Amino acid sequence: MIKCCLILSTKILKMVNTQQLISKDLKHFWHPCTQMKDFETCPPLIIEKAQGSYLYTNKGPLIDAISSWWCKSLGHGHPAVVAAIKEQLNHFEHVIAANTTHSKLVELAENLAEITKKQHVFFASDGSSAVEIAMKLAIHANQIKGFTEKNQFIALKNGYHGETLGTMSVSDLGIYKAPYTAFGLTCHLIQNIPYISGKEDSLWHDCGSYWTLVEKELESVSDNVCAVIVEPLIQGAGGMLCYSPDFLKKLSSWAKSKNIYLIADEIMTGMGRTGKWLASNHADVEPDLICLSKGLTSGSIPLSCTMIDHAIFKLFYADFASGKSFLHSHTYSGNPLAVSAALATIHAMQEEKIISRAQSLGEYMLTSLTEIAELTGKLSNVRGIGAVVAADLEDNGQSRIGNKIYQHALNHGALIRPIGNTLYWLPPLNTDHEVIGKLAEITLHSIKEAYATP
């Protein structure tokens, strides 16, 4: 009897503490990319621990089906990554990178140069900053070459490249961008994009019919454009939309013929996510500038970088008085803890053959999601490249069906966060098939329950 009372008292105390913590959170913490009013009906989760593909929360264990915003490439708490951070802490946690170097920084730069085939790396801490650096370099390089009129960009409709005013100006995200549209750079959006379902789609190898229309769009603006910026093959925030590698190859060739730089925003698609080190590799494309972040450190410590072609680097290599210096500054550029985490991530990916595992994982996920679509009749346009799969939820007039699925999935044991009416899985690359099987079952039940609820 006493034992039962103690257990009950502990549960009550935990409930009170949970409610107090959430109350304090909502009083002070403005959550990112969130309408705070939504927490009135679905409070934030309290994370108590995270390991592998799981989050341990006040709602119990949850499969992290979205890699905590696409960054947990090796899952939570990978031992090699954690050990590397701890080891670096014994030496120093941060020093200014403007005037210093150290062995791990150099080793990471060499590794990234080998992966990307770009000689030079400029470090920052978040994806938006990496893209901003690439955009500034494209504008500045053209100024040095005497093409001052080339200060505009070309991007894809439904694209997303970051949250700064500069990166939002080359993005196409409706209400997320609308309040700031008048304050950015000029960007021309390509409309006719050959979207595909995957490698079996005929457009994967040949999108000639689309390219004829696109080329006409581009010719009229090319004289004033300094760079084309794309998320290679998968547009993340736009709804996990997949498009043809042949389209990327043709766009790259066109840009080179017009002396226009190609910026590959591989923030989400890079570091093995699509079954290759870079999504650009599927198209045998060599961009002039490549942006990496998210999975670079397996989401342990913020780090991003812009990989830069030597021809661009040479334009800025001059005496300080020449005015050709690229003087972008970033306090945490090359942060040693993040650098150590990135090195450990790359080494672990090589040792554990993560690239090939991502391909196998993706095939299994695509099969599983296709089966769910057949069983529910509520999903269409099932698609995927590598370890990213997605489908469109049927619009039956229900308000925010994706949010309902999110709430039901929490009750069943998974963190699934649809983008609008796009349901997707983007788990850690080392997630095993058993976990995906559980995720598929949870997704199936959550979809059925969400559509059955008025």
Side-chain angles (χ1 to χ4, degrees):
M1 182 69 176
I2 295 174
K3 187 176 179 181
C4 290
C5 289
L6 284 172
I7 292 172
L8 182 60
S9 297
T10 301
K11 286 183 177 179
I12 292 172
L13 182 61
K14 190 172 182 180
M15 286 176 60
V16 171
N17 289 341
T18 296
Q19 290 168 353
Q20 288 178 343
L21 184 60
I22 290 174
S23 178
K24 291 178 180 179
D25 171 283
L26 298 180
K27 182 178 180 180
H28 299 290
F29 179 32
W30 195 333
H31 290 250
C33 198
T34 301
Q35 172 48 260
M36 294 295 291
K37 194 173 182 358
D38 286 349
F39 287 132
E40 291 179 6
T41 55
C42 189
L45 297 167
I46 296 177
I47 306 297
E48 297 161 356
K49 178 185 172 183
Q51 190 65 47
S53 299
Y54 281 87
L55 301 170
Y56 297 87
T57 77
N58 59 310
K59 282 187 169 289
L62 300 175
I63 298 170
D64 189 352
I66 60 169
S67 292
S68 287
W69 249 341
W70 319 342
C71 67
K72 304 302 299 186
S73 51
L74 297 178
H76 297 272
H78 190 284
V81 177
V82 173
I85 295 169
K86 288 181 176 178
E87 194 276 332
Q88 179 59 42
L89 267 172
N90 293 328
H91 301 281
F92 51 93
E93 76 284 1
H94 183 65
V95 292
I96 184 173
N99 312 91
T100 69
T101 191
H102 54 92
S103 60
K104 289 181 180 177
L105 183 64
V106 173
E107 184 183 353
L108 178 59
E110 288 180 325
N111 273 258
L112 289 172
E114 184 177 349
I115 288 170
T116 65
K117 305 299 184 277
K118 300 289 118 185
Q119 183 176 342
H120 306 279
V121 54
F122 200 112
F123 287 110
S125 65
D126 60 89
S128 295
S129 293
V131 175
E132 192 91 6
I133 288 166
M135 292 173 65
K136 287 172 67 175
L137 280 168
I139 293 170
H140 197 164
N142 273 284
Q143 290 178 352
I144 291 173
K145 291 191 291 185
F147 304 135
T148 55
E149 75 286 356
K150 293 174 76 69
N151 54 22
Q152 299 177 10
F153 291 84
I154 291 172
L156 307 184
K157 74 172 183 179
N158 300 314
Y160 170 77
H161 300 286
E163 300 292 339
T164 64
L165 283 175
T167 56
M168 287 208 86
S169 67
V170 294
S171 301
D172 178 34
L173 283 178
I175 62 172
Y176 297 92
K177 175 183 175 178
Y180 321 108
T181 302
F183 303 100
L185 298 159
T186 299
C187 180
H188 309 277
L189 297 175
I190 297 174
Q191 300 297 321
N192 296 292
I193 301 173
Y195 288 120
I196 59 173
S197 58
K199 290 185 177 181
E200 305 307 314
D201 197 304
S202 61
L203 290 170
W204 180 274
H205 295 290
D206 184 6
C207 70
S209 58
Y210 281 81
W211 180 250
T212 302
L213 297 172
V214 170
E215 194 169 20
K216 290 179 181 178
E217 289 182 52
L218 300 179
E219 288 295 334
S220 62
V221 300
S222 61
D223 289 346
N224 299 113
V225 171
C226 65
V228 175
I229 180 167
V230 298
E231 298 160 273
L233 302 199
I234 305 177
Q235 296 178 298
M240 298 298 163
L241 300 168
C242 306
Y243 65 90
S244 164
D246 185 51
F247 176 76
L248 181 56
K249 184 179 290 188
K250 285 178 166 58
L251 185 58
S252 173
S253 297
W254 177 85
K256 280 181 170 50
S257 73
K258 299 293 183 180
N259 198 26
I260 292 171
Y261 294 123
L262 176 64
I263 301 172
D265 177 353
E266 297 259 11
I267 304 298
M268 185 271 281
T269 57
M271 301 307 296
R273 177 51 63 179
T274 66
K276 292 184 181 289
W277 277 113
L278 303 173
S280 306
N281 296 154
H282 288 282
D284 294 322
V285 162
E286 292 190 15
D288 300 288
L289 298 141
I290 301 171
C291 304
L292 297 171
S293 189
K294 291 194 181 290
L296 182 57
T297 65
S298 191
S300 57
I301 294 179
L303 180 70
S304 66
C305 66
T306 306
M307 304 303 301
I308 303 158
D309 192 81
H310 185 61
I312 296 175
F313 175 85
K314 284 197 301 182
L315 292 171
F316 295 88
Y317 197 83
D319 293 331
F320 191 86
S322 68
K324 295 180 179 179
S325 302
F326 183 64
L327 299 177
H328 182 95
S329 59
H330 197 99
T331 301
Y332 294 103
S333 181
N335 172 261
L337 297 178
V339 164
S340 299
L343 264 178
T345 297
I346 291 171
H347 293 163
M349 290 182 73
Q350 293 167 334
E351 290 167 8
E352 298 173 24
K353 297 180 171 53
I354 293 296
I355 302 295
S356 60
R357 287 176 65 180
Q359 295 175 11
S360 173
L361 177 65
E363 290 168 3
Y364 185 67
M365 291 197 302
L366 192 60
T367 298
S368 299
L369 193 60
T370 300
E371 290 175 356
I372 292 171
E374 293 170 352
L375 288 169
T376 62
K378 301 298 183 183
L379 297 177
S380 61
N381 188 23
V382 179
R383 55 195 182 272
I385 299 175
V388 182
V389 297
D392 298 330
L393 293 160
E394 178 188 282
D395 182 4
N396 64 348
Q398 287 201 48
S399 174
R400 299 180 66 188
I401 189 68
N403 191 51
K404 290 181 179 179
I405 290 172
Y406 160 76
Q407 294 184 43
H408 284 293
L410 290 182
N411 294 329
H412 290 298
L415 176 62
I416 300 172
R417 199 171 187 268
I419 302 170
N421 274 12
T422 298
L423 183 143
Y424 73 95
W425 297 338
L426 200 153
L429 299 175
N430 52 1
T431 302
D432 61 41
H433 286 199
E434 181 183 353
V435 173
I436 297 302
K438 292 178 183 177
L439 175 60
E441 187 176 336
I442 291 168
T443 302
L444 176 63
H445 289 310
S446 300
I447 290 173
K448 287 182 176 179
E449 291 171 2
Y451 278 97
T453 306

